[in-house]
Amino acid sequence: LLKATEDNEDPRTIPAYNRMGYGLKTTYEKKRYKLGIIGFYAKDNQNSIDSIPEVKNVLPKENLVISLEGEVKLGKSFTLQAEYAATAITKDTRAEETEALGKSPLSIIFNNRASTEYYNALKTRLEYTISRINLGLGYERIDPGYETLGAYFFNNDFENITLDASNTFFKDKLTLALNIGYQRDDL
């Protein structure tokens, strides 16, 4: 995920540890429901570069993310979708090990350190379908500070409530979709 980059004393150079990551996504699907799980793990090799000046504040990190997702059809017209993700991120793998019981479901299987933090994300949507018209109500919340090493960028510290509608026209050759919502940030 990251190539080891030595510090060459050029202020534009951002040193980095070699980072390796692994992920798995699997889904079980039936006619009326589907269940899925996503797992991701990444860790920096703290021996992959010689040294980093403290002023650059580049630390070796470790991350574990588990996500559960599901969808269920409620009758003919309604569909409920939900996804929950939990992340455990250690900002410095050199920090001392600690007990973190009760902080997160991940604390049971993750190597807890003094610099380990836990965050959650939740996304749900209820959809109602009439012929070719879809109406939806969604809710999304991502904890402040949520971070994963498996993404280039990730928004966090917000809550969304949305309403959406879509319809197809001209024998499904044109789709019109509208989405309106309320966002609250700085949770």
Side-chain angles (χ1 to χ4, degrees):
L1 300 173
L2 279 179
K3 186 172 84 171
T5 305
E6 293 284 349
D7 183 37
N8 62 6
E9 298 183 17
D10 182 341
R12 295 173 295 174
T13 299
I14 300 172
Y17 293 97
N18 183 49
R19 178 175 297 156
M20 297 296 290
Y22 312 91
L24 171 74
K25 177 178 181 176
T26 184
T27 304
Y28 179 75
E29 193 168 338
K30 287 293 202 178
K31 185 176 180 180
R32 303 202 40 85
Y33 68 90
K34 67 179 171 182
L35 298 169
I37 186 167
I38 300 168
F40 174 79
Y41 175 78
K43 186 175 184 179
D44 292 344
N45 178 355
Q46 64 186 359
N47 299 318
S48 61
I49 56 177
D50 292 332
S51 67
I52 296 177
E54 291 294 322
V55 295
K56 297 245 178 158
N57 198 28
V58 175
L59 304 170
K61 297 180 179 183
E62 182 178 18
N63 180 221
L64 175 65
V65 179
I66 302 291
S67 177
L68 303 171
E69 59 185 1
E71 180 178 306
V72 63
K73 296 190 185 304
L74 307 169
K76 285 178 144 185
S77 302
F78 286 96
T79 303
L80 178 63
Q81 302 164 331
E83 181 176 1
Y84 168 76
T87 184
I89 187 156
T90 297
K91 304 287 187 166
D92 186 355
T93 57
R94 301 168 301 176
E96 82 178 68
E97 292 188 25
T98 62
E99 292 286 326
L101 299 175
K103 284 187 174 182
S104 166
L106 294 181
S107 66
I108 299 166
I109 58 174
F110 192 68
N111 188 17
N112 302 293
R113 299 194 175 273
S115 66
T116 302
E117 298 172 352
Y118 298 93
Y119 302 102
N120 299 295
L122 174 69
K123 184 175 184 178
T124 62
R125 184 169 187 275
L126 179 63
E127 180 180 290
Y128 179 66
T129 304
I130 314 167
S131 183
R132 290 183 285 180
I133 300 171
N134 292 321
L135 304 171
L137 173 65
Y139 175 78
E140 182 177 15
R141 184 185 198 290
I142 302 176
D143 286 348
Y146 188 102
E147 183 181 351
T148 177
L149 301 180
Y152 290 118
F153 63 92
F154 201 94
N155 292 327
N156 65 58
D157 192 16
F158 74 91
E159 185 175 56
N160 278 339
I161 299 171
T162 58
L163 290 170
D164 61 80
S166 66
N167 193 0
T168 59
F169 302 94
F170 307 117
K171 297 181 183 178
D172 296 334
K173 293 186 184 206
L174 174 69
T175 300
L176 177 63
L178 302 168
N179 190 335
I180 188 167
Y182 170 76
Q183 183 176 79
R184 184 171 70 105
D185 58 2
D186 295 327
L187 301 175

